[in-house]
């Protein structure tokens, strides 16, 4: 089970931190991906983190502004979003997949890279 939270309304230039709590998964070799879907657009990959070695990847649109991190003790992955722009407005989702046989030297930023999804959390950035 994945539980995403932390969305809200923020002004442009502001910050938010999203959380994705994973529970009920047996093993700890996995990746968490953050995706977003804006109205009328397809879901797109934003960032991912490999728990195994904490390798992280980002979409070009968020590099330098977003940071993904993990609290392994809590099985929670965070997405710190700074310098938010109106175009960051979207419903944000987290996805989960085991990565036993997956190298962490390539990003996992496609929808079909993930097997489990949490409910979304809405981020609205006002101009």
């Amino acid at each position: 089970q994945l539980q995403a939270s932390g969305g809200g309304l923020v002004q442009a230039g502001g910050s938010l931190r999203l959380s994705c709590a994973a529970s009920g998964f047996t093993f700890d070799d996995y990746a968490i991906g953050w995706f977003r879907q804006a109205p009328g657009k397809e879901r797109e990959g934003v960032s991912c983190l490999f728990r195994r070695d904490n390798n992280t990847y980002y979409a070009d649109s968020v590099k330098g502004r977003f940071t993904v991190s993990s609290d392994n003790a809590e099985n929670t992955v965070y997405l710190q979003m700074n310098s938010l722009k109106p175009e960051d407005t979207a419903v944000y989702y987290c996805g989960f997949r085991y990565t036993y046989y997956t190298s962490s030297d390539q990003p996992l930023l496609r929808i079909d890279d993930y097997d489990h999804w949490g409910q979304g959390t809405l981020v609205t950035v006002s101009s």
Side-chain angles (χ1 to χ4, degrees), residues 1-123:
Q1 182 179 0
L2 297 176
Q3 183 76 30
S5 61
L9 173 64
V10 64
Q11 288 188 331
S15 298
L16 280 174
R17 189 178 78 160
L18 305 183
S19 300
C20 178
S23 62
F25 298 105
T26 309
F27 302 106
D28 60 7
D29 192 343
Y30 60 78
I32 295 285
W34 283 102
F35 290 73
R36 66 186 181 186
Q37 188 165 16
K41 295 188 177 181
E42 294 185 352
R43 192 175 298 190
E44 63 172 353
V46 173
S47 180
C48 69
L49 179 145
F50 287 82
R51 190 183 188 282
R52 175 195 314 148
D53 51 16
N54 278 327
N55 269 11
T56 59
Y57 296 92
Y58 300 92
D60 288 343
S61 57
V62 306
K63 278 181 184 176
R65 299 189 299 122
F66 290 11
T67 303
V68 63
S69 62
S70 66
D71 181 337
N72 291 340
E74 297 293 330
N75 283 331
T76 299
V77 172
Y78 302 100
L79 185 68
Q80 178 67 43
M81 306 186 296
N82 299 329
S83 302
L84 282 162
K85 305 174 181 180
E87 51 264 42
D88 294 318
T89 295
V91 178
Y92 284 71
Y93 299 88
C94 56
F96 174 101
R97 66 167 286 164
Y98 287 113
T99 52
Y100 310 120
Y101 306 113
T102 304
S103 171
S104 62
D105 64 0
Q106 294 292 327
L108 296 176
L109 292 176
R110 301 177 307 172
I111 294 172
D112 58 7
D113 285 331
Y114 294 88
D115 305 310
H116 305 277
W117 293 91
Q119 90 293 352
T121 184
L122 176 63
V123 172

